[in-house]
Short mmCIF file of all heavy atoms in Angstrom, two decimals:
data_model
loop_
_atom_site.label_atom_id
_atom_site.label_comp_id
_atom_site.label_asym_id
_atom_site.label_seq_id
_atom_site.Cartn_x
_atom_site.Cartn_y
_atom_site.Cartn_z
N THR A 11 -25.12 51.40 -25.32
CA THR A 11 -23.94 50.55 -25.48
C THR A 11 -24.14 49.25 -24.67
O THR A 11 -24.87 49.22 -23.70
CB THR A 11 -22.63 51.26 -25.04
OG1 THR A 11 -22.57 51.33 -23.62
CG2 THR A 11 -22.54 52.67 -25.63
N GLY A 12 -23.46 48.23 -25.15
CA GLY A 12 -23.78 46.90 -24.59
C GLY A 12 -25.19 46.51 -24.99
O GLY A 12 -25.86 45.74 -24.32
N GLY A 13 -25.61 47.04 -26.14
CA GLY A 13 -27.01 46.92 -26.57
C GLY A 13 -27.40 45.50 -27.00
O GLY A 13 -28.60 45.23 -27.15
N ALA A 14 -26.41 44.64 -27.20
CA ALA A 14 -26.75 43.27 -27.59
C ALA A 14 -26.88 42.36 -26.36
O ALA A 14 -27.28 41.21 -26.48
CB ALA A 14 -25.67 42.72 -28.52
N GLY A 15 -26.52 42.88 -25.20
CA GLY A 15 -26.54 42.04 -23.99
C GLY A 15 -27.90 42.04 -23.30
O GLY A 15 -28.87 42.64 -23.81
N SER A 16 -27.95 41.40 -22.18
CA SER A 16 -29.21 41.21 -21.46
C SER A 16 -29.90 42.50 -21.06
O SER A 16 -31.05 42.78 -21.45
CB SER A 16 -28.93 40.34 -20.23
OG SER A 16 -29.98 40.38 -19.32
N LEU A 17 -29.22 43.36 -20.29
CA LEU A 17 -29.85 44.62 -19.82
C LEU A 17 -30.01 45.59 -20.99
O LEU A 17 -31.02 46.31 -21.06
CB LEU A 17 -29.03 45.27 -18.71
CG LEU A 17 -28.78 44.41 -17.44
CD1 LEU A 17 -28.16 45.27 -16.35
CD2 LEU A 17 -30.06 43.78 -16.94
N GLY A 18 -29.05 45.61 -21.91
CA GLY A 18 -29.13 46.53 -23.06
C GLY A 18 -30.33 46.20 -23.95
O GLY A 18 -31.09 47.08 -24.34
N LEU A 19 -30.52 44.93 -24.22
CA LEU A 19 -31.61 44.50 -25.11
C LEU A 19 -32.98 44.68 -24.44
O LEU A 19 -33.94 45.12 -25.07
CB LEU A 19 -31.41 43.05 -25.56
CG LEU A 19 -32.37 42.52 -26.61
CD1 LEU A 19 -32.44 43.42 -27.84
CD2 LEU A 19 -31.96 41.10 -27.04
N VAL A 35 -25.07 49.68 -29.76
CA VAL A 35 -23.63 49.56 -29.94
C VAL A 35 -23.15 48.37 -29.12
O VAL A 35 -23.51 48.21 -27.94
CB VAL A 35 -22.91 50.83 -29.41
CG1 VAL A 35 -21.39 50.68 -29.49
CG2 VAL A 35 -23.39 52.07 -30.17
N ASP A 36 -22.36 47.49 -29.75
CA ASP A 36 -21.81 46.35 -29.00
C ASP A 36 -20.61 45.83 -29.78
O ASP A 36 -20.52 45.99 -30.99
CB ASP A 36 -22.85 45.25 -28.87
CG ASP A 36 -22.60 44.36 -27.64
OD1 ASP A 36 -21.61 43.58 -27.68
OD2 ASP A 36 -23.36 44.45 -26.67
N LYS A 37 -19.67 45.21 -29.06
CA LYS A 37 -18.51 44.71 -29.76
C LYS A 37 -18.76 43.28 -30.30
O LYS A 37 -18.07 42.82 -31.17
CB LYS A 37 -17.28 44.72 -28.86
CG LYS A 37 -17.27 43.70 -27.77
CD LYS A 37 -15.84 43.66 -27.18
CE LYS A 37 -15.66 42.44 -26.38
NZ LYS A 37 -15.81 41.89 -25.31
N ASP A 38 -19.82 42.63 -29.82
CA ASP A 38 -20.13 41.27 -30.25
C ASP A 38 -21.08 41.32 -31.46
O ASP A 38 -22.30 41.51 -31.34
CB ASP A 38 -20.78 40.52 -29.09
CG ASP A 38 -21.04 39.05 -29.39
OD1 ASP A 38 -21.26 38.72 -30.57
OD2 ASP A 38 -20.98 38.25 -28.46
N GLU A 39 -20.49 41.14 -32.67
CA GLU A 39 -21.28 41.35 -33.91
C GLU A 39 -22.41 40.34 -34.06
O GLU A 39 -23.49 40.69 -34.52
CB GLU A 39 -20.34 41.27 -35.12
CG GLU A 39 -19.38 42.44 -35.16
CD GLU A 39 -18.63 42.55 -36.47
OE1 GLU A 39 -19.21 42.24 -37.52
OE2 GLU A 39 -17.45 42.94 -36.43
N GLN A 41 -24.10 38.71 -31.69
CA GLN A 41 -25.16 39.05 -30.72
C GLN A 41 -25.94 40.29 -31.18
O GLN A 41 -27.14 40.41 -30.99
CB GLN A 41 -24.57 39.29 -29.32
CG GLN A 41 -24.30 38.03 -28.54
CD GLN A 41 -25.58 37.29 -28.22
OE1 GLN A 41 -25.91 36.28 -28.85
NE2 GLN A 41 -26.36 37.80 -27.27
N LEU A 42 -25.18 41.22 -31.77
CA LEU A 42 -25.78 42.47 -32.25
C LEU A 42 -26.76 42.17 -33.40
O LEU A 42 -27.88 42.70 -33.41
CB LEU A 42 -24.66 43.40 -32.73
CG LEU A 42 -24.92 44.89 -32.81
CD1 LEU A 42 -25.46 45.46 -31.52
CD2 LEU A 42 -23.64 45.62 -33.21
N VAL A 57 -24.39 49.29 -34.53
CA VAL A 57 -23.01 49.60 -34.90
C VAL A 57 -22.08 48.72 -34.04
O VAL A 57 -22.12 48.79 -32.80
CB VAL A 57 -22.65 51.07 -34.62
CG1 VAL A 57 -21.25 51.38 -35.15
CG2 VAL A 57 -23.67 52.02 -35.24
N ALA A 58 -21.28 47.91 -34.72
CA ALA A 58 -20.31 47.09 -33.99
C ALA A 58 -19.14 47.99 -33.61
O ALA A 58 -18.51 48.61 -34.47
CB ALA A 58 -19.82 45.93 -34.86
N ALA A 59 -18.86 48.10 -32.31
CA ALA A 59 -17.80 48.98 -31.87
C ALA A 59 -17.34 48.56 -30.48
O ALA A 59 -18.08 47.99 -29.69
CB ALA A 59 -18.31 50.43 -31.82
N ASP A 60 -16.05 48.89 -30.22
CA ASP A 60 -15.47 48.67 -28.92
C ASP A 60 -15.52 49.99 -28.13
O ASP A 60 -14.90 50.96 -28.55
CB ASP A 60 -14.02 48.18 -29.09
CG ASP A 60 -13.32 47.96 -27.77
OD1 ASP A 60 -13.80 48.42 -26.72
OD2 ASP A 60 -12.22 47.35 -27.79
N VAL A 61 -16.24 50.02 -27.05
CA VAL A 61 -16.43 51.31 -26.33
C VAL A 61 -15.16 51.87 -25.73
O VAL A 61 -15.10 53.03 -25.37
CB VAL A 61 -17.53 51.21 -25.22
CG1 VAL A 61 -18.89 50.88 -25.77
CG2 VAL A 61 -17.12 50.21 -24.12
N SER A 62 -14.13 51.04 -25.60
CA SER A 62 -12.89 51.53 -25.02
C SER A 62 -11.97 52.19 -26.09
O SER A 62 -10.87 52.65 -25.74
CB SER A 62 -12.14 50.41 -24.29
OG SER A 62 -11.71 49.45 -25.22
N SER A 63 -12.42 52.20 -27.32
CA SER A 63 -11.65 52.81 -28.41
C SER A 63 -12.23 54.17 -28.77
O SER A 63 -13.44 54.30 -29.08
CB SER A 63 -11.67 51.88 -29.63
OG SER A 63 -11.53 52.61 -30.84
N ASP A 66 -13.55 54.07 -32.43
CA ASP A 66 -14.85 53.38 -32.53
C ASP A 66 -15.97 54.27 -31.95
O ASP A 66 -17.08 54.33 -32.49
CB ASP A 66 -14.82 52.05 -31.75
CG ASP A 66 -14.14 50.94 -32.55
OD1 ASP A 66 -13.42 51.25 -33.50
OD2 ASP A 66 -14.35 49.78 -32.19
N TYR A 70 -19.38 55.45 -33.91
CA TYR A 70 -20.78 55.18 -33.61
C TYR A 70 -21.58 56.47 -33.39
O TYR A 70 -22.75 56.56 -33.72
CB TYR A 70 -20.98 54.10 -32.54
CG TYR A 70 -20.75 54.47 -31.07
CD1 TYR A 70 -21.61 55.32 -30.39
CD2 TYR A 70 -19.76 53.84 -30.34
CE1 TYR A 70 -21.43 55.61 -29.04
CE2 TYR A 70 -19.57 54.12 -28.98
CZ TYR A 70 -20.40 55.00 -28.33
OH TYR A 70 -20.25 55.28 -26.99
N PHE A 85 -27.28 55.74 -23.02
CA PHE A 85 -27.29 54.71 -21.97
C PHE A 85 -25.93 53.97 -22.12
O PHE A 85 -25.75 53.13 -22.98
CB PHE A 85 -28.47 53.76 -22.16
CG PHE A 85 -28.56 52.65 -21.14
CD1 PHE A 85 -28.12 52.84 -19.81
CD2 PHE A 85 -29.12 51.43 -21.46
CE1 PHE A 85 -28.22 51.82 -18.87
CE2 PHE A 85 -29.22 50.41 -20.52
CZ PHE A 85 -28.76 50.60 -19.24
N SER A 86 -25.03 54.33 -21.20
CA SER A 86 -23.66 53.80 -21.24
C SER A 86 -23.64 52.55 -20.39
O SER A 86 -23.56 52.61 -19.15
CB SER A 86 -22.73 54.86 -20.63
OG SER A 86 -21.58 54.98 -21.35
N ASN A 87 -23.70 51.38 -21.03
CA ASN A 87 -24.05 50.16 -20.33
C ASN A 87 -23.15 48.98 -20.60
O ASN A 87 -23.23 47.97 -19.89
CB ASN A 87 -25.53 49.87 -20.70
CG ASN A 87 -25.98 48.50 -20.34
OD1 ASN A 87 -26.20 48.21 -19.16
ND2 ASN A 87 -26.11 47.60 -21.33
N ALA A 88 -22.24 49.08 -21.57
CA ALA A 88 -21.37 47.95 -21.89
C ALA A 88 -20.56 47.56 -20.68
O ALA A 88 -20.15 48.42 -19.90
CB ALA A 88 -20.45 48.30 -23.06
N GLY A 89 -20.34 46.26 -20.52
CA GLY A 89 -19.57 45.87 -19.33
C GLY A 89 -18.95 44.50 -19.47
O GLY A 89 -19.41 43.64 -20.22
N ASN A 90 -17.84 44.31 -18.74
CA ASN A 90 -17.19 43.00 -18.57
C ASN A 90 -16.92 42.83 -17.08
O ASN A 90 -16.96 43.80 -16.33
CB ASN A 90 -15.90 42.92 -19.40
CG ASN A 90 -14.94 44.07 -19.08
OD1 ASN A 90 -15.28 45.02 -18.36
ND2 ASN A 90 -13.75 44.01 -19.63
N PHE A 91 -16.62 41.61 -16.64
CA PHE A 91 -16.52 41.40 -15.20
C PHE A 91 -15.09 41.27 -14.67
O PHE A 91 -14.75 41.74 -13.60
CB PHE A 91 -17.34 40.18 -14.75
CG PHE A 91 -17.22 39.95 -13.27
CD1 PHE A 91 -17.86 40.83 -12.38
CD2 PHE A 91 -16.47 38.92 -12.76
CE1 PHE A 91 -17.73 40.65 -11.00
CE2 PHE A 91 -16.35 38.74 -11.39
CZ PHE A 91 -16.99 39.59 -10.51
N ALA A 107 -8.17 45.78 -18.30
CA ALA A 107 -9.22 45.50 -19.28
C ALA A 107 -10.60 45.90 -18.74
O ALA A 107 -11.45 46.40 -19.49
CB ALA A 107 -9.21 44.03 -19.66
N ALA A 110 -10.87 49.70 -18.69
CA ALA A 110 -10.98 50.22 -20.06
C ALA A 110 -12.43 50.25 -20.54
O ALA A 110 -12.85 51.20 -21.17
CB ALA A 110 -10.13 49.37 -21.00
N VAL A 111 -13.18 49.20 -20.23
CA VAL A 111 -14.57 49.15 -20.72
C VAL A 111 -15.46 50.08 -19.91
O VAL A 111 -16.18 50.93 -20.46
CB VAL A 111 -15.10 47.71 -20.68
CG1 VAL A 111 -16.57 47.67 -21.13
CG2 VAL A 111 -14.27 46.80 -21.57
N HIS A 112 -15.44 49.94 -18.56
CA HIS A 112 -16.40 50.67 -17.76
C HIS A 112 -16.02 52.16 -17.59
O HIS A 112 -16.90 53.03 -17.73
CB HIS A 112 -16.49 50.06 -16.36
CG HIS A 112 -16.99 48.66 -16.35
ND1 HIS A 112 -18.32 48.34 -16.46
CD2 HIS A 112 -16.34 47.47 -16.29
CE1 HIS A 112 -18.47 47.03 -16.43
NE2 HIS A 112 -17.28 46.47 -16.35
N GLY A 115 -14.58 53.64 -21.22
CA GLY A 115 -15.71 53.54 -22.16
C GLY A 115 -16.78 54.59 -21.84
O GLY A 115 -17.30 55.24 -22.75
N ILE A 135 -25.60 55.82 -16.73
CA ILE A 135 -24.45 54.91 -16.77
C ILE A 135 -24.81 53.68 -15.91
O ILE A 135 -25.23 53.85 -14.75
CB ILE A 135 -23.18 55.60 -16.21
CG1 ILE A 135 -22.83 56.82 -17.05
CG2 ILE A 135 -22.03 54.61 -16.16
CD1 ILE A 135 -21.72 57.70 -16.44
N THR A 136 -24.62 52.49 -16.45
CA THR A 136 -24.86 51.29 -15.63
C THR A 136 -23.63 51.02 -14.76
O THR A 136 -22.61 50.55 -15.24
CB THR A 136 -25.16 50.04 -16.47
OG1 THR A 136 -26.14 50.34 -17.43
CG2 THR A 136 -25.61 48.89 -15.60
N SER A 137 -23.77 51.36 -13.48
CA SER A 137 -22.78 50.94 -12.51
C SER A 137 -23.27 49.60 -11.96
O SER A 137 -23.68 48.72 -12.77
CB SER A 137 -22.62 51.99 -11.42
OG SER A 137 -21.70 51.57 -10.43
N SER A 138 -23.31 49.42 -10.68
CA SER A 138 -23.69 48.10 -10.09
C SER A 138 -23.83 48.29 -8.60
O SER A 138 -23.36 49.28 -8.04
CB SER A 138 -22.56 47.12 -10.38
OG SER A 138 -22.70 45.95 -9.59
N VAL A 139 -24.42 47.30 -7.94
CA VAL A 139 -24.34 47.27 -6.50
C VAL A 139 -22.88 47.27 -6.06
O VAL A 139 -22.50 47.80 -5.01
CB VAL A 139 -25.13 46.04 -5.96
CG1 VAL A 139 -24.50 44.74 -6.37
CG2 VAL A 139 -25.31 46.10 -4.46
N ALA A 140 -22.02 46.74 -6.95
CA ALA A 140 -20.56 46.75 -6.69
C ALA A 140 -19.95 48.14 -6.81
O ALA A 140 -18.77 48.32 -6.55
CB ALA A 140 -19.86 45.76 -7.63
N TYR A 151 -13.66 44.96 -10.87
CA TYR A 151 -15.07 45.32 -11.11
C TYR A 151 -15.55 46.39 -10.14
O TYR A 151 -16.16 47.40 -10.52
CB TYR A 151 -15.92 44.08 -11.05
CG TYR A 151 -17.34 44.23 -11.57
CD1 TYR A 151 -17.61 44.45 -12.91
CD2 TYR A 151 -18.42 44.13 -10.69
CE1 TYR A 151 -18.90 44.58 -13.37
CE2 TYR A 151 -19.72 44.26 -11.15
CZ TYR A 151 -19.97 44.48 -12.49
OH TYR A 151 -21.25 44.60 -12.94
N LYS A 155 -16.71 50.14 -11.06
CA LYS A 155 -18.07 50.56 -10.85
C LYS A 155 -18.17 51.74 -9.88
O LYS A 155 -19.06 52.59 -10.00
CB LYS A 155 -18.92 49.38 -10.35
CG LYS A 155 -19.16 48.30 -11.40
CD LYS A 155 -19.72 48.88 -12.70
CE LYS A 155 -20.40 47.91 -13.61
NZ LYS A 155 -20.83 48.52 -14.88
N GLN A 158 -17.16 54.90 -11.93
CA GLN A 158 -18.23 55.43 -12.77
C GLN A 158 -19.09 56.44 -11.99
O GLN A 158 -19.63 57.39 -12.57
CB GLN A 158 -19.12 54.30 -13.30
CG GLN A 158 -18.45 53.46 -14.36
CD GLN A 158 -19.35 52.35 -14.86
OE1 GLN A 158 -20.06 51.73 -14.08
NE2 GLN A 158 -19.34 52.12 -16.14
N ILE A 179 -27.09 53.97 -12.53
CA ILE A 179 -28.04 52.98 -12.05
C ILE A 179 -27.23 51.80 -11.49
O ILE A 179 -26.16 51.49 -12.04
CB ILE A 179 -28.99 52.56 -13.18
CG1 ILE A 179 -30.16 51.78 -12.63
CG2 ILE A 179 -28.32 51.77 -14.27
CD1 ILE A 179 -31.41 51.96 -13.43
N HIS A 180 -27.72 51.21 -10.41
CA HIS A 180 -26.93 50.21 -9.70
C HIS A 180 -27.71 48.90 -9.53
O HIS A 180 -28.29 48.65 -8.47
CB HIS A 180 -26.49 50.76 -8.33
CG HIS A 180 -25.65 51.98 -8.42
ND1 HIS A 180 -24.26 51.96 -8.25
CD2 HIS A 180 -25.94 53.27 -8.74
CE1 HIS A 180 -23.77 53.18 -8.46
NE2 HIS A 180 -24.79 53.97 -8.76
N PRO A 181 -27.70 48.07 -10.59
CA PRO A 181 -28.43 46.81 -10.45
C PRO A 181 -27.76 45.88 -9.46
O PRO A 181 -26.52 45.85 -9.35
CB PRO A 181 -28.37 46.21 -11.86
CG PRO A 181 -27.94 47.32 -12.77
CD PRO A 181 -27.12 48.24 -11.93
N GLY A 182 -28.58 45.14 -8.75
CA GLY A 182 -28.03 44.04 -7.95
C GLY A 182 -27.96 42.81 -8.82
O GLY A 182 -28.08 42.92 -10.06
N PRO A 183 -27.78 41.63 -8.25
CA PRO A 183 -27.68 40.41 -9.05
C PRO A 183 -28.95 40.20 -9.91
O PRO A 183 -30.04 40.17 -9.38
CB PRO A 183 -27.53 39.31 -8.01
CG PRO A 183 -26.95 40.00 -6.82
CD PRO A 183 -27.56 41.37 -6.82
N ILE A 184 -28.72 40.06 -11.21
CA ILE A 184 -29.83 39.86 -12.18
C ILE A 184 -29.78 38.42 -12.64
O ILE A 184 -28.71 37.83 -12.76
CB ILE A 184 -29.69 40.86 -13.34
CG1 ILE A 184 -29.67 42.30 -12.84
CG2 ILE A 184 -30.81 40.65 -14.36
CD1 ILE A 184 -30.87 42.76 -12.00
N ASP A 185 -30.95 37.89 -12.95
CA ASP A 185 -31.04 36.51 -13.39
C ASP A 185 -30.63 36.45 -14.87
O ASP A 185 -31.49 36.40 -15.76
CB ASP A 185 -32.51 36.07 -13.19
CG ASP A 185 -32.68 34.59 -13.48
OD1 ASP A 185 -31.66 33.91 -13.68
OD2 ASP A 185 -33.84 34.14 -13.51
N ASN A 186 -29.33 36.47 -15.14
CA ASN A 186 -28.86 36.38 -16.53
C ASN A 186 -27.45 35.77 -16.57
O ASN A 186 -26.84 35.46 -15.54
CB ASN A 186 -28.93 37.73 -17.23
CG ASN A 186 -27.94 38.77 -16.71
OD1 ASN A 186 -27.00 38.45 -16.00
ND2 ASN A 186 -28.12 40.02 -17.08
N GLY A 187 -26.94 35.60 -17.80
CA GLY A 187 -25.67 34.91 -17.99
C GLY A 187 -24.49 35.64 -17.37
O GLY A 187 -23.57 34.98 -16.82
N PHE A 188 -24.50 36.95 -17.41
CA PHE A 188 -23.40 37.76 -16.82
C PHE A 188 -23.26 37.43 -15.34
O PHE A 188 -22.18 37.13 -14.85
CB PHE A 188 -23.73 39.24 -17.05
CG PHE A 188 -22.65 40.21 -16.60
CD1 PHE A 188 -21.75 40.73 -17.53
CD2 PHE A 188 -22.54 40.59 -15.27
CE1 PHE A 188 -20.79 41.64 -17.14
CE2 PHE A 188 -21.55 41.49 -14.87
CZ PHE A 188 -20.68 42.02 -15.81
N GLN A 189 -24.38 37.46 -14.63
CA GLN A 189 -24.36 37.25 -13.19
C GLN A 189 -24.05 35.78 -12.87
O GLN A 189 -23.35 35.49 -11.89
CB GLN A 189 -25.71 37.67 -12.58
CG GLN A 189 -25.84 37.41 -11.09
CD GLN A 189 -24.86 38.22 -10.24
OE1 GLN A 189 -24.29 39.21 -10.69
NE2 GLN A 189 -24.66 37.78 -9.00
N LEU A 190 -24.54 34.88 -13.70
CA LEU A 190 -24.28 33.45 -13.47
C LEU A 190 -22.77 33.17 -13.51
O LEU A 190 -22.24 32.42 -12.69
CB LEU A 190 -25.02 32.61 -14.51
CG LEU A 190 -25.21 31.14 -14.17
CD1 LEU A 190 -25.97 30.97 -12.86
CD2 LEU A 190 -25.98 30.44 -15.29
N VAL A 192 -20.44 35.32 -12.80
CA VAL A 192 -19.88 35.89 -11.58
C VAL A 192 -20.07 34.90 -10.43
O VAL A 192 -19.15 34.63 -9.63
CB VAL A 192 -20.59 37.24 -11.22
CG1 VAL A 192 -20.15 37.74 -9.87
CG2 VAL A 192 -20.36 38.27 -12.32
N GLU A 193 -21.28 34.35 -10.34
CA GLU A 193 -21.59 33.45 -9.22
C GLU A 193 -20.82 32.13 -9.29
O GLU A 193 -20.42 31.59 -8.27
CB GLU A 193 -23.11 33.18 -9.21
CG GLU A 193 -23.87 34.42 -8.75
CD GLU A 193 -25.35 34.39 -8.97
OE1 GLU A 193 -25.86 33.36 -9.47
OE2 GLU A 193 -26.01 35.38 -8.63
N HIS A 217 -33.16 37.10 -7.25
CA HIS A 217 -32.45 37.89 -8.26
C HIS A 217 -33.45 38.82 -8.95
O HIS A 217 -34.64 38.55 -8.99
CB HIS A 217 -31.81 36.98 -9.29
CG HIS A 217 -30.58 36.27 -8.79
ND1 HIS A 217 -30.57 35.52 -7.64
CD2 HIS A 217 -29.33 36.21 -9.28
CE1 HIS A 217 -29.38 35.04 -7.45
NE2 HIS A 217 -28.58 35.44 -8.43
N GLY A 218 -32.91 39.92 -9.52
CA GLY A 218 -33.78 40.81 -10.31
C GLY A 218 -33.93 40.30 -11.73
O GLY A 218 -33.23 39.38 -12.16
N ALA A 220 -34.07 41.49 -15.90
CA ALA A 220 -33.56 42.56 -16.79
C ALA A 220 -34.63 43.63 -17.03
O ALA A 220 -34.33 44.81 -17.07
CB ALA A 220 -33.09 41.94 -18.12
N VAL A 223 -34.76 46.27 -14.37
CA VAL A 223 -33.69 47.28 -14.51
C VAL A 223 -34.09 48.26 -15.63
O VAL A 223 -33.98 49.47 -15.49
CB VAL A 223 -32.34 46.62 -14.81
CG1 VAL A 223 -31.26 47.70 -15.03
CG2 VAL A 223 -31.94 45.67 -13.70
N VAL A 245 -31.07 49.41 -7.87
CA VAL A 245 -32.15 48.52 -8.30
C VAL A 245 -31.68 47.12 -7.94
O VAL A 245 -31.27 46.32 -8.79
CB VAL A 245 -32.40 48.62 -9.82
CG1 VAL A 245 -33.65 47.85 -10.24
CG2 VAL A 245 -32.53 50.08 -10.26
N1 LIG B 301 -26.11 41.07 -14.75
C1 LIG B 301 -26.01 41.62 -13.56
O1 LIG B 301 -26.40 41.01 -12.55
C2 LIG B 301 -25.47 43.00 -13.42
C3 LIG B 301 -25.53 43.61 -12.15
C4 LIG B 301 -25.02 44.89 -11.99
C5 LIG B 301 -24.50 45.56 -13.06
N2 LIG B 301 -24.44 44.95 -14.29
C6 LIG B 301 -23.89 45.72 -15.39
O2 LIG B 301 -24.88 45.82 -16.38
C7 LIG B 301 -24.26 46.07 -17.65
C8 LIG B 301 -24.89 45.12 -18.67
O3 LIG B 301 -24.59 43.79 -18.26
P1 LIG B 301 -25.52 42.55 -18.66
O4 LIG B 301 -25.97 41.92 -17.41
O5 LIG B 301 -26.53 42.93 -19.68
O6 LIG B 301 -24.41 41.57 -19.29
P2 LIG B 301 -24.21 41.10 -20.79
O7 LIG B 301 -22.92 40.34 -20.82
O8 LIG B 301 -25.44 40.38 -21.24
O9 LIG B 301 -24.12 42.45 -21.61
C9 LIG B 301 -22.92 43.23 -21.67
C10 LIG B 301 -22.69 43.60 -23.11
O10 LIG B 301 -21.56 44.48 -23.19
C11 LIG B 301 -20.84 44.15 -24.34
N3 LIG B 301 -19.46 44.62 -24.24
C12 LIG B 301 -18.49 44.19 -23.39
N4 LIG B 301 -17.34 44.83 -23.62
C13 LIG B 301 -17.59 45.73 -24.63
C14 LIG B 301 -16.80 46.68 -25.32
N5 LIG B 301 -15.48 46.83 -25.03
N6 LIG B 301 -17.38 47.42 -26.29
C15 LIG B 301 -18.68 47.23 -26.62
N7 LIG B 301 -19.47 46.35 -26.00
C16 LIG B 301 -18.92 45.61 -25.03
C17 LIG B 301 -20.92 42.62 -24.44
O11 LIG B 301 -20.63 42.14 -25.73
C18 LIG B 301 -22.36 42.39 -23.98
O12 LIG B 301 -23.26 42.30 -25.08
C19 LIG B 301 -22.77 45.88 -17.44
O13 LIG B 301 -22.15 47.17 -17.29
C20 LIG B 301 -22.69 45.14 -16.09
O14 LIG B 301 -21.49 45.39 -15.44
C21 LIG B 301 -24.94 43.72 -14.48
#
Side-chain angles (χ1 to χ4, degrees):
T11 75
S16 164
L17 301 189
L19 186 53
V35 176
D36 206 289
K37 73 167 196 280
D38 186 328
E39 292 191 35
Q41 279 294 105
L42 201 53
V57 186
D60 178 345
V61 297
S62 66
S63 152
D66 280 18
Y70 77 67
F85 180 32
S86 222
N87 166 73
N90 54 352
F91 180 71
V111 177
H112 297 279
I135 299 171
T136 310
S137 177
S138 166
V139 66
Y151 191 68
K155 290 307 199 185
Q158 288 180 319
I179 193 150
H180 298 258
I184 302 304
D185 187 7
N186 69 14
F188 185 98
Q189 177 64 17
L190 198 57
V192 173
E193 288 168 1
H217 286 53
V223 177
V245 188

